[in-house]
Amino acid sequence: MKRKLIAAIGVAGMLVSVAACGSDDDDKKAGGADSFKGETLTLWAMDGSTPDKWQKDVTAAFEKKTGAKLKFEVQQWNGIQQKLTTALSEENPPDVFEIGNTQTAAYAKTGGLAELGDLKESIGADWTESMNKASVIDGKQYAAPWFVLNRVVIYNKKIWADAGIKDTPKTRDEFLKDLKQIGAKTDAEPLYMPGQFWYHFVGLTIGEGAELVKKDGDKYVSNLDDPKVAKAMKTYQEFQKLSKAPKNKDEATPQQGEVFGKGKTGAMIAMPWEAALAIKTDKKIEKDIGYFTIPGATADKPEGVFLGGSNLAIAATSKKQELAKEFLKIALSDKFEGEFAKEGGVIPNKQSLESSLAGNPAAKAMTPATPGGGITPLIPEWGAVENPPNPIKNYMTAVLNGKSPDAAAKQVEGELNKRLAQKQ
């Protein structure tokens, strides 16, 4: 299932500061069905995020417990940053809203999000740390982790069998060996990996424990000259050599799922929903599609991955703070979080709920890498970096075209630093 959150990875370029105000229900406690009778809670959820049954079940549970009504308003990813920014500055914002995990820091920094430390204590003690990290800004909890997805290896089982490969690889070296064997024993392209597939590169840097930016006094600057970043790029380069994909394009130009769907590619590193693009291209490939976790340097630790996903937050200016928290307690309960993960094929916010993904091989392939995954730098300044032409992509292409990692880092650091210095 394609998750439309992927189109929204990034941070709002312009936010207005909003001041937290008092709540009409600060002293209310949800002691029964009449606690909030007559009130309506407004929830903004993004298009494609909420499965129908889950939405129906959560609404019924919320209204039964609180006596209030729940109003779902579906939003489009296109233009959501500015729309949410405006709404949070107004008198009646959405009370609860879905927010991209990479966007959370920007809204928290400008005062748009209510603190949720008490909610973390009551229901979030076992939230997966790698997922919750995006909700914690300057040591304070400003949102609740809802779900993530990450990339896996989608492979053509027929091509692998034709190459004489019987098992999926457990280490990075085994993966490289298998791909080379496909190249030697079949006429298929071993791996489709374009040169500017930067989300995968970010995953590799996360696996190396590298940071893309560093603090220099009171500002952030490029950290692409870090040897750990260079090591991640070297790994990327080893795999990209096995691909015929262009070095100056990303995975969406063309859509790699469509390339894979032609049946001439051994594997691609992709979001699970990209398999649907392959099947749409040629339905005959459906029976040959398999999934496995991206192997890391050792068998006990998968490759680093970028965690694309969403958090749930409460508007600082909402007059229904306690009612909003009651909704989050219900929606994020084990019962409904597990149901949400099962229906949506996404990673839930607790490892204990991953059993909900039984029978979904694509989702199961994502789970091992999730605890070690991460996201882009949790700073508002990062948003400008991703605007085209993305200097990280240019760094990658420069290395793949023969520059040393140090020289490539030097080539783009001026532009990267310029973007990191832009006023937010």
Side-chain angles (χ1 to χ4, degrees):
M1 176 180 180
K2 182 174 180 178
R3 310 300 301 183
K4 296 185 179 179
L5 63 97
I6 305 304
I9 296 299
V11 186
M14 179 179 68
L15 295 174
V16 295
S17 295
V18 292
C21 66
S23 165
D24 288 347
D25 66 351
D26 282 343
D27 298 323
K28 283 188 177 181
K29 302 296 178 185
D34 293 330
S35 300
F36 299 94
K37 190 173 182 180
E39 296 193 31
T40 298
L41 188 80
T42 300
L43 167 68
W44 279 14
M46 303 310 300
D47 184 27
S49 288
T50 53
D52 292 341
K53 184 177 184 302
W54 178 88
Q55 182 175 325
K56 180 180 178 181
D57 292 346
V58 166
T59 299
F62 172 79
E63 294 185 350
K64 180 179 179 180
K65 181 178 181 183
T66 66
K69 295 295 183 182
L70 180 61
K71 183 180 181 183
F72 267 86
E73 294 187 356
V74 176
Q75 305 296 320
Q76 302 299 317
W77 281 112
N78 186 30
I80 187 58
Q81 293 99 329
Q82 186 57 54
K83 184 175 182 179
L84 182 57
T85 296
T86 301
L88 292 178
S89 68
E90 295 176 341
E91 186 175 347
N92 294 303
D95 303 296
V96 180
F97 50 92
E98 176 183 352
I99 185 172
N101 56 357
T102 63
Q103 300 170 344
T104 305
Y107 289 101
K109 291 278 190 179
T110 55
L113 311 183
E115 288 188 39
L116 301 178
D118 55 343
L119 190 76
K120 172 69 166 65
E121 291 179 6
S122 63
I123 67 169
D126 53 350
W127 284 338
T128 300
E129 184 178 354
S130 61
M131 291 178 62
N132 190 51
K133 186 177 179 182
S135 297
V136 179
I137 313 301
D138 296 333
K140 296 181 180 179
Q141 190 83 32
Y142 282 104
W146 194 15
F147 67 90
V148 296
L149 300 97
N150 58 61
R151 287 166 175 82
V152 299
V153 180
I154 300 179
Y155 72 108
N156 186 314
K157 292 185 284 187
K158 182 181 184 303
I159 290 175
W160 285 55
D162 289 346
I165 303 169
K166 300 183 183 300
D167 299 311
T168 55
K170 301 300 185 290
T171 67
R172 187 189 297 156
D173 286 344
E174 289 177 6
F175 189 18
L176 278 168
K177 180 181 177 182
D178 288 345
L179 293 174
K180 290 175 181 178
Q181 188 166 322
I182 289 171
K185 295 191 174 183
T186 76
D187 60 357
E189 180 179 14
L191 176 71
Y192 186 82
M193 182 181 285
Q196 295 187 344
F197 187 6
W198 84 286
Y199 285 123
H200 179 51
F201 171 63
V202 169
L204 296 176
T205 66
I206 290 166
E208 294 294 346
E211 298 288 347
L212 297 176
V213 300
K214 61 186 176 183
K215 201 74 179 288
D216 181 17
D218 61 352
K219 62 183 178 180
Y220 288 94
V221 297
S222 170
N223 195 41
L224 292 182
D225 59 357
D226 186 331
K228 292 180 181 178
V229 174
K231 188 176 180 181
M233 190 61 215
K234 180 180 178 182
T235 298
Y236 190 98
Q237 190 171 26
E238 285 184 303
F239 283 90
Q240 208 280 328
K241 285 178 182 177
L242 301 175
S243 177
K244 299 175 183 177
K247 295 179 174 61
N248 63 344
K249 301 293 183 182
D250 62 22
E251 74 283 6
T253 316
Q255 288 287 346
Q256 63 176 2
E258 295 174 355
V259 175
F260 184 83
K262 296 175 181 177
K264 300 293 185 181
T265 304
M268 64 176 176
I269 293 173
M271 286 290 192
W273 58 260
E274 292 180 78
L277 295 179
I279 295 168
K280 185 178 180 181
T281 300
D282 189 343
K283 189 167 177 57
K284 294 195 296 292
I285 201 173
E286 185 171 8
K287 67 182 185 305
D288 296 324
I289 291 178
Y291 309 84
F292 59 87
T293 307
I294 306 172
T298 58
D300 61 334
K301 185 179 180 182
E303 194 65 89
V305 292
F306 175 85
L307 301 177
S310 285
N311 298 327
L312 289 174
I314 297 174
T317 51
S318 168
K319 298 180 176 66
K320 302 167 186 174
Q321 298 287 319
E322 291 302 323
L323 184 57
K325 289 177 183 177
E326 287 303 316
F327 169 77
L328 291 183
K329 289 176 183 178
I330 293 169
L332 300 175
S333 66
D334 287 359
K335 176 182 178 180
F336 291 116
E337 180 74 0
E339 179 182 328
F340 180 81
K342 181 178 181 179
E343 288 191 60
V346 297
I347 305 300
N349 61 16
K350 297 180 180 180
Q351 288 180 267
S352 60
L353 298 177
E354 290 175 359
S355 58
S356 304
L357 301 174
N360 186 331
K364 290 289 288 183
M366 289 190 288
T367 59
T370 301
I375 63 172
T376 47
L378 290 170
I379 56 173
E381 294 86 350
W382 182 258
V385 174
E386 298 189 20
N387 294 330
N390 185 332
I392 308 296
K393 289 184 176 183
N394 291 337
Y395 162 83
M396 296 170 68
T397 296
V399 173
L400 296 175
N401 281 335
K403 282 188 178 292
S404 70
D406 281 348
K410 180 67 69 175
Q411 177 179 310
V412 304
E413 72 175 7
E415 178 61 24
L416 183 52
N417 291 343
K418 177 183 176 182
R419 295 182 183 211
L420 288 168
Q422 289 181 17
K423 298 292 184 181
Q424 303 300 311

